[in-house]
Amino acid sequence: MAAPTFLRLRREAWGFIIGSVLFIVGAVPGFLEAVGPVADNLTFFIGSLFFTLAAFIQLNLSGRRPPRSTTNRPDRFDWWAAAILFAGTLFFNLSTVTALAASLGGTERTGWRPDAYGSVCFLLSSLLAVVATTGRDALWDPEARTWRGAWLNLLGSVAFGIAAVGAYPIAESGQQFLASWATVGTITGGACFLVAAALTRPGTPRLS
């Protein structure tokens, strides 16, 4: 693996690792009570920025332009997985900054939870990544993606989707549909993304 690619893969992995840790910390029930909604939503916002940075690196590594007709199947799925993941992180940027602005204005007293648009993008991206890793030997770099990481990301995306459902506001009361689902789903999803990112760091032992 060329040195520039090695370094960018490390930055990608660390971006996802730091972002995941911040999402987990922000979702821990006692953290919101300890620091208040502004600091809690700021934690999620910073975490989303690390996710976006890592996703941008991943998209650049997968190729700057959309796949062509001559692109092999694994690389095509890998590119679309990276592009949709990047879009999902932008949705999370928007929802976290919206939650942060609301808490700064005193109208939001709860912590951020995954939104539907970002969660759908993460889920679709993870499904495409799983397909891409079925032909990992044909990828632009076989060591850049692992089947373990792909399946962990899919599990994390499902957990984020559950969190988004749990966080859905009930019109009559304004309360979350199932607050416990929102909390557990966010923490579980963050943990899955964290482990997946740690496993994809260059130099980590691979299993075929």
Side-chain angles (χ1 to χ4, degrees), residues 64-90:
R64 293 179 181 274
R65 295 181 296 180
R68 303 175 181 179
S69 58
T70 55
T71 304
N72 65 48
R73 183 172 178 269
D75 279 339
R76 182 179 296 110
F77 277 92
D78 184 63
W79 187 90
W80 280 110
I84 294 171
L85 175 64
F86 180 64
T89 66
L90 295 179

Side-chain angles (χ1 to χ4, degrees), residues 18-194:
I18 295 171
S20 298
V21 169
L22 291 174
F23 272 59
I24 293 169
V25 170
V28 171
F31 186 72
L32 174 62
E33 285 74 16
V35 303
V38 173
D40 188 51
N41 285 315
L42 179 61
T43 301
F44 282 121
F45 175 61
I46 295 173
S48 76
L49 295 180
F50 276 100
F51 262 99
T52 299
L53 175 62
F56 180 74
I57 294 172
Q58 184 179 102
L59 179 58
N60 267 258
L61 286 169
S62 299
R64 293 179 181 274
R65 295 181 296 180
R68 303 175 181 179
S69 58
T70 55
T71 304
N72 65 48
R73 183 172 178 269
D75 279 339
R76 182 179 296 110
F77 277 92
D78 184 63
W79 187 90
W80 280 110
I84 294 171
L85 175 64
F86 180 64
T89 66
L90 295 179
F91 279 120
F92 283 152
N93 290 160
L94 178 60
S95 61
T96 54
V97 77
T98 299
L100 176 59
S103 59
L104 285 168
T107 59
E108 179 61 71
R109 301 184 181 279
T110 61
W112 174 90
R113 293 295 180 267
D115 66 278
Y117 297 109
S119 298
V120 168
C121 286
F122 270 42
L123 182 59
L124 181 55
S125 169
S126 299
L127 287 169
L128 292 171
V130 167
V131 176
T133 55
T134 60
R136 204 181 87 189
D137 290 343
L139 281 173
W140 61 274
D141 186 339
E143 295 301 312
R145 310 285 179 250
T146 70
W147 64 266
R148 292 178 297 166
W151 280 100
L152 278 168
N153 280 326
L154 177 57
L155 181 59
S157 298
V158 170
F160 262 36
I162 292 173
V165 171
Y168 188 80
I170 301 173
E172 293 77 12
S173 63
Q175 300 297 313
Q176 294 179 353
F177 174 59
L178 282 171
S180 59
W181 283 21
T183 299
V184 173
T186 305
I187 294 174
T188 301
C192 290
F193 297 144
L194 172 61

